[in-house]
Amino acid sequence: MTTYVEAATVADAVAAMADGARPIAGGTDLVVGARQGKASLPGSLVGIHRIAGLDAIGDHDGGLRLGALVTHQAILTHPAIRSRYTGLADGSANVGSHATRVNGTIGGNVMNASPAMDTGAPLLCFEASATLRGPAGSRQVALAELWTGPGQTSAALDELLTAITLPRVSPGTGSAYVRLQYRRQMEIAVVGAAAVVTIDDDTVTDARIAIASLSPVIMRVAGAEEALTGRSADPHTVTAAAEAAAAAAAPISDVRASAEYRRAMAAVITRRAINTAIARAGGTDVPIPASDATFGS
Amino acid sequence: MRYPISLTVNETAYSLEVAADQSLLQAIRDDVGLTGSKEGCDDSECGACMMLIDGRPVNSCSYLAVQADGSQITTVEGLADGLDLTPLQAAFLTEGGVQCGFCTPGMLISAIALLEANPDPTEDEIRIGLSGNLCRCTGYDGIVRAVQEVARGLVG
């Protein structure tokens, strides 16, 4: 027997969560998971989908602040995200179908903590952090510290994610998220990779690489970043970085792919992500989502 | 525990009492009595249950009725005026976009949402837009042609 209350404010929601309720917004993971029999609906729910202002996208210290209720559709159609945080738009464009994207929120996506989520790798590369509001106030947590395992976060049960903050992006930066997919929509990443690359005069001055669906949590790969940084963005360097990313992978076998296949594809998909980020850094317009645009490359 | 909710379904107001875990699809089919929207997969894969909530396409099998309190819902029953079909419905018939008809209510709703967001879609954009709606009969070509015709204003 599930009980339900609707929150009008963040404080209402946090109070309900302190009493044991779990938050629900679009329900595209929570309710679908219950329908699939993965996990029953929580015994107590607090609807946060109508909390005023939580769906805002705004500037934050030259970067960006996404309210927890910002939908994938809002992300992928937002001009500043498409131009400056293109890899995040790639990720949101890959999520579900159009019905998933207009209902599914970035807050739910992050707190669901799937190692296969499409926005996770780009958010890690943009060094995003989560704002968690609990009974005692708010705290900021880097996403790298938020995700602790498949479906697990370091947030307390009475902490509500209220926003995702992305720092400003340097000029000359391009980004991309690419996934291996058997179909273009209604798909979960078989293997995913994000790259955020800053280029100055043909030299990579900053590189961030993250892999998804390849380890228990989505993670940055320092070896891949070091293989690119300070070097010219040529195919040999990109291949070396992609292979370093693949070497860090610890994939599982499941219904979508074997661990061996995932490991073999990790370098391919990472290479596509890096090449797309480099192309975008140089002003080339690679369509969103990059997974479709780079298929076969 | 049951919760009172108000819904406006196809411009008619309803007051219902629903359980917290009851889906919007169950509320519309069982309590409102409009059975056009179908239950296919019951977990957001097939799109047969798709409705508009305040204009947004939603897989109603996996959306809690209690969360829709106060919303405007559009189902397939809200499209035609009696026997006068909308141009989109008529195009589905003339182009062979309907065979068994089970996917059609959700397919029409999805196509309306697609055309609302993108009034002049390419064939690829139509296929992407309708990818959350499975059809086991038509092979999709007739459905895609029907949406293309309406987008180009060739019918109606």
Side-chain angles (χ1 to χ4, degrees):
Chain A
M1 190 64 176
T2 299
T3 62
Y4 177 83
V5 62
E6 192 165 298
T9 65
V10 168
D12 283 354
V14 171
M17 290 168 70
D19 282 337
R22 303 303 299 144
I24 182 166
T28 56
D29 278 315
L30 195 68
V31 184
V32 173
R35 294 282 171 203
Q36 291 173 335
K38 280 184 189 161
S40 325
L41 272 187
S44 173
L45 289 172
V46 54
I48 62 167
H49 58 301
R50 290 200 174 105
I51 295 178
L54 221 49
D55 61 351
I57 300 177
D59 289 333
H60 182 84
D61 279 348
L64 210 58
R65 185 180 184 281
L66 308 175
L69 294 180
V70 169
T71 63
H72 294 292
Q73 183 67 16
I75 287 171
L76 86 93
T77 54
H78 194 275
I81 297 177
R82 292 178 71 88
S83 62
R84 287 189 282 145
Y85 301 92
T86 321
L88 180 59
D90 285 328
S92 283
N94 277 157
V95 174
S97 72
H98 68 161
T100 325
R101 291 190 292 271
V102 296
N103 294 294
T105 64
I106 191 68
N109 204 193
V110 166
M111 293 306 287
N112 193 52
S114 165
M117 66 187 283
D118 288 310
T119 60
L123 285 173
L124 268 192
C125 289
F126 287 122
E127 303 192 326
S129 60
T131 305
L132 301 176
R133 172 87 74 89
S138 286
R139 65 183 178 113
Q140 293 280 122
V141 184
L143 292 189
E145 271 87 58
L146 182 70
W147 295 318
T148 53
Q152 313 232 308
T153 72
S154 58
L157 287 173
D158 59 0
E159 287 184 310
L160 178 71
L161 183 146
T162 55
I164 301 290
T165 306
L166 295 91
R168 70 182 289 274
V169 172
S170 307
T173 299
S175 63
Y177 169 74
V178 175
R179 71 180 183 184
L180 176 64
Q181 53 189 6
Y182 301 134
R183 51 182 182 174
R184 292 157 66 195
Q185 296 269 289
M186 297 300 289
E187 177 66 303
I188 295 170
V190 180
V191 165
V196 175
V197 177
T198 307
I199 295 182
D200 183 12
D201 198 20
D202 203 39
T203 299
V204 176
T205 56
D206 189 33
R208 302 167 199 172
I209 313 289
I211 53 176
S213 256
L214 285 168
S215 49
V217 292
I218 296 172
M219 62 177 196
R220 296 262 298 268
V221 183
E225 298 175 353
E226 285 156 14
L228 275 175
T229 307
R231 295 188 166 79
S232 120
D234 59 53
H236 177 76
T237 304
V238 171
T239 299
E243 285 172 357
I252 59 166
S253 294
D254 66 9
V255 66
R256 286 174 286 125
S258 67
E260 286 164 286
Y261 182 55
R262 284 197 164 96
R263 202 184 298 281
M265 292 300 103
V268 176
I269 296 303
T270 308
R271 176 174 52 74
R272 288 180 193 167
I274 296 170
N275 280 335
T276 306
I278 291 169
R280 284 172 172 165
T284 303
D285 180 20
V286 181
I288 297 165
S291 301
D292 298 356
T294 62
F295 178 71
S297 68
Chain B
M1 182 99 183
R2 295 181 76 79
Y3 299 85
I5 63 167
S6 304
L7 299 176
T8 303
V9 185
N10 304 327
E11 301 183 349
T12 302
Y14 294 87
S15 295
L16 310 174
E17 286 205 345
V18 297
D21 62 355
Q22 190 174 339
S23 72
L24 179 62
L25 179 65
Q26 289 167 326
I28 297 293
R29 286 181 59 89
D30 300 344
D31 299 338
V32 174
L34 295 176
T35 55
S37 309
K38 304 305 184 204
E39 180 181 305
C41 65
D42 199 27
D43 65 9
S44 282
E45 291 284 341
C46 77
C49 65
M50 210 172 278
M51 302 176 186
L52 301 179
I53 302 182
D54 298 328
R56 308 187 321 273
V58 174
N59 287 304
S60 64
C61 74
S62 301
Y63 196 85
L64 300 182
V66 72
Q67 285 194 278
D69 183 24
S71 299
Q72 309 269 341
I73 312 291
T74 304
T75 69
V76 68
E77 289 92 341
L79 305 185
D81 182 6
L83 292 177
D84 292 336
L85 300 181
T86 64
L88 185 65
Q89 288 173 304
F92 265 60
L93 289 181
T94 56
E95 288 301 332
V98 178
Q99 285 186 35
C100 88
F102 194 84
C103 75
T104 311
M107 198 68 83
L108 287 165
I109 293 292
S110 200
I112 289 166
L114 162 67
L115 290 170
E116 186 66 31
N118 181 2
D120 188 22
T122 63
E123 179 184 338
D124 191 57
E125 287 168 341
I126 293 170
R127 289 182 183 276
I128 287 287
L130 299 180
S131 60
N133 297 82
L134 300 184
C135 173
R136 283 291 173 254
C137 305
T138 65
Y140 299 100
D141 283 356
I143 293 169
V144 172
R145 282 198 305 273
V147 177
Q148 278 177 313
E149 283 185 12
V150 172
R152 292 183 197 137
L154 296 182
V155 290

